Amino acid sequence: DDAMKKTLIAAAAGLVAVTALAGHHEKGEKAAEAETAMMSEEAMMAAMAAAATPGEPHARLAESVGTFDAAMTFLMDPSGEPQKTTMTVERTMDLGGRVMLEHWSGEFMGMPFAGRSRTGYDNVTKRYWSTWTDNWSTGVLVMYGDYDAESESMVFKGENAHPVTGSMYTMKSVARELGDGQSIMDMYEDYGQGMVKAFTVTMTPR
């Protein structure tokens, strides 16, 4: 309605004004405000609509919805034998196709495990983003990434706090499709001496 439209326009104008003032101090406050005023209501509404409209990256995420068996191989000790477990993963799209939700359930090291992931694509920054939380921690892992068309893989990077030392370390995930709905994801960790593979997950649709 008109009231909502006016609210959105006012919010957009405020955001544009803040950005203009922050990025153009040398022009002076009046010059920055004049630059903001030149942006029409239609242009602001169009920019907001473009930022909010799902596109090809969101459709790519939607292609992987469904229920999967997640076979995980991981190393608790780099010098030891790999350990394996299988979990159930349910993927759905939320918020009108803007965000993919993952619900993980199963066992890890003989104990109940539950994980939640949210993955989306930001039309403004032109990057994918992902969050991860589970019942083995109270923190959240935030990662940002891109689709590598050459290798046909999704590559995400982020930082996490080690649960024992509290120090930050870098994580990287590389996921690619294997065909017939199956995919594989390798997770790497870097504690300051280079990336080392921590675990691999193969997703097979049920």
Side-chain angles (χ1 to χ4, degrees), residues 138-155:
T138 54
V140 57
L141 171 63
V142 180
M143 304 181 78
Y144 296 92
D146 300 285
Y147 178 74
D148 184 349
E150 184 175 350
S151 63
E152 297 184 344
S153 59
M154 295 281 291
V155 181

Side-chain angles (χ1 to χ4, degrees), residues 9 75 116 125 129 142 169 174 183 202:
I9 292 173
L75 285 172
R116 302 289 183 267
T125 63
W129 56 265
V142 180
Y169 63 97
V174 180
S183 64
T202 301

Side-chain angles (χ1 to χ4, degrees), residues 156-178:
F156 283 83
K157 289 185 178 181
E159 287 190 331
N160 198 24
H162 194 281
V164 177
T165 65
S167 59
M168 301 300 293
Y169 63 97
T170 303
M171 301 185 72
K172 181 178 79 169
S173 68
V174 180
R176 57 187 175 85
E177 300 296 325
L178 298 177

Side-chain angles (χ1 to χ4, degrees), residues 1 9 14 31 34 49-50 69 71 76 85 95-96 101 127 145-146 161 169 182:
D1 56 18
I9 292 173
D69 290 320
M76 295 302 294
T85 188
L95 298 177
L101 308 182
R127 301 205 74 187
D146 300 285
Y169 63 97
Q182 193 176 48

Side-chain angles (χ1 to χ4, degrees), residues 2-3 5 30 37 43 49 55 84 116 121 125 130 144 153 190 197-198 202 205:
D2 290 340
K5 181 177 178 181
K30 291 185 178 180
K84 298 182 179 181
R116 302 289 183 267
Y121 180 84
T125 63
S130 178
Y144 296 92
S153 59
D190 183 359
K197 184 184 292 188
T202 301

Side-chain angles (χ1 to χ4, degrees), residues 75-81 83:
L75 285 172
M76 295 302 294
D77 181 357
S79 62
E81 291 293 323
Q83 300 186 49

Side-chain angles (χ1 to χ4, degrees), residues 50 52-64 93 97-98 120-123 126 128 147 149 154:
T53 303
E56 181 181 347
H58 305 89
R60 181 178 292 119
L61 291 174
E63 292 175 356
S64 62
M93 294 301 293
R98 292 170 174 81
Y121 180 84
D122 190 333
N123 291 339
K126 309 299 182 186
Y128 286 92
Y147 178 74
M154 295 281 291

Side-chain angles (χ1 to χ4, degrees), residues 184-201:
I184 187 169
M185 189 270 284
D186 295 314
M187 180 67 79
Y188 300 86
E189 298 175 346
D190 183 359
Y191 294 92
Q193 298 179 339
M195 288 288 181
V196 177
K197 184 184 292 188
F199 61 84
T200 296
V201 179

